[in-house]
Amino acid sequence: MNAGLVPRCGTLADVGCDHAYAAIYLTAGGRADRCIAMDVAAGPLARAEENIRRYGLENRIETRRSDGLAALGIGEADVIMIGGMGGPLMLDILRKGIACVRAAQALVLQPQSEPEEFRRGLRELSLDILAEEMCCEGGKYYTVIYAENAGGSRAGKAQEERGLPGWLADRYGPCLVAGRHPVLRQFLREELGKKEELLVQLAMQKTDKSAERRTALEDEVKEIGRLLALF
C-alpha cells in the first residue's frame, strides 16, 4: 500500500528502512532509479544490506545509519518515504529535517498512531495531503498519506467546501472521505458500533463523570453518522 503511492522518481529516501524490502521492491520494479535506505539502528541496516545483496541491487541501493533525516543531504532525495512509526515521532523527524522535506518533490508517510494530530502537523508544516490509502490487516487499520510542499491543504479546503469541519477531515482523512473509501466506511461502522455499545453501558451509570462522557460520545456518534451518510 505504501509503495503504491510512491511516484516515479530518481532517488527515493526510505527512512526507517528496517529490512529494506520496500526499497528493494520500488528499485527493482523501476519506480525509483536509486534508493537511500536509512535506519537509526545497526541491526536493521545489517539485515537490509543482506537483502539488498540477495537481490543484486548494491549499485542502486545505498544504506546509511541515520537518526531520521540527519544523514540525508538537502535536495538529495526526490521522494521521502517514512512508514511504520508513531505519528509524533514522524512529525519530529519532519520538523528536524525540514530543509530536506522542503527540497523533496513528494512525501509518502504512514503514521501508526494519532492520525488527527499528524495531519494537523502536516498542515502546520505547509504540506498538502493530496492522496491517501487505507487497509485493514490482522484486525488493525493502516493509513498512508501522499503529501507535497504547498501552502495550505487543498484537500482540506475541499472538505470545508463540502461542509466538513477541518478537525473531522484531520481525524478521518480528507482524501479518504472525499473518495468514499470502502475501508474507511468499514472502520467508521466499527467505531459507531463500539461507541453505541459504550453509550448503553454509560446509561446505566448515574455519576456526573459518566454523564459528561455520555454527552461527548453522543456528539461523536452524530459526527460518525454524518460521515457515513456521505457514503
Side-chain angles (χ1 to χ4, degrees):
M1 180 180 70
N2 293 2
L5 283 187
V6 174
R8 177 74 180 83
C9 63
T11 301
L12 168 72
D14 182 4
V15 183
C17 66
D18 197 13
H19 37 52
Y21 287 144
I24 291 166
Y25 174 79
L26 289 162
T27 307
R31 194 77 64 85
D33 292 334
R34 62 184 298 268
C35 181
I36 302 167
M38 305 190 293
D39 206 287
V40 71
L45 277 183
R47 289 195 298 271
E49 289 164 359
E50 181 181 339
N51 290 328
I52 291 164
R53 285 193 298 271
R54 183 181 305 151
Y55 285 88
L57 292 169
E58 301 98 317
N59 294 331
R60 295 177 61 194
I61 303 178
E62 174 188 352
T63 60
R64 293 181 191 173
R65 190 167 182 181
S66 176
D67 185 358
L69 294 165
L72 185 69
I74 297 171
E76 195 174 12
D78 304 307
V79 177
I80 296 171
M81 178 172 67
I82 312 176
M85 300 181 195
L89 174 58
M90 199 175 293
L91 278 176
D92 185 58
I93 288 172
L94 295 175
R95 289 180 180 124
K96 288 179 178 177
I98 193 64
C100 291
V101 170
R102 292 282 179 257
Q105 296 172 8
L107 298 98
V108 176
L109 309 164
Q110 187 235 321
Q112 295 280 66
S113 64
E114 302 183 43
E116 181 177 351
E117 292 77 5
F118 185 75
R119 292 186 180 96
R120 188 163 56 245
L122 293 184
R123 191 167 59 250
E124 291 169 357
L125 291 173
S126 295
L127 291 167
D128 279 0
I129 297 173
L130 300 182
E132 294 174 290
E133 262 299 338
M134 188 176 190
C135 71
C136 182
E137 183 177 350
K140 295 183 179 180
Y141 288 91
Y142 302 91
T143 300
V144 61
I145 295 168
Y146 173 91
E148 293 181 1
N149 287 286
S153 177
R154 283 166 277 177
K157 288 178 181 176
Q159 291 309 303
E160 290 173 10
E161 289 169 3
R162 291 180 174 87
L164 191 68
W167 68 266
L168 208 53
D170 285 342
R171 179 171 294 179
Y172 297 109
C175 298
L176 295 174
V177 174
R180 312 294 193 266
H181 200 289
V183 180
L184 175 62
R185 183 185 187 185
Q186 175 183 323
F187 173 77
L188 289 171
R189 283 178 166 172
E190 288 186 14
E191 287 294 292
L192 184 62
K194 292 175 185 176
K195 293 179 188 300
E196 287 178 336
E197 184 177 340
L198 186 54
L199 276 174
V200 171
Q201 296 173 10
L202 287 171
M204 295 183 285
Q205 302 176 20
K206 304 301 179 182
T207 65
D208 292 340
K209 187 174 182 179
S210 64
E212 288 179 18
R213 179 65 180 131
R214 190 165 63 247
T215 299
L217 267 176
E218 287 169 350
D219 290 339
E220 292 172 17
V221 164
K222 289 177 183 177
E223 292 295 356
I224 292 176
R226 180 181 174 185
L227 280 175
L228 281 171
L230 296 176
F231 288 82

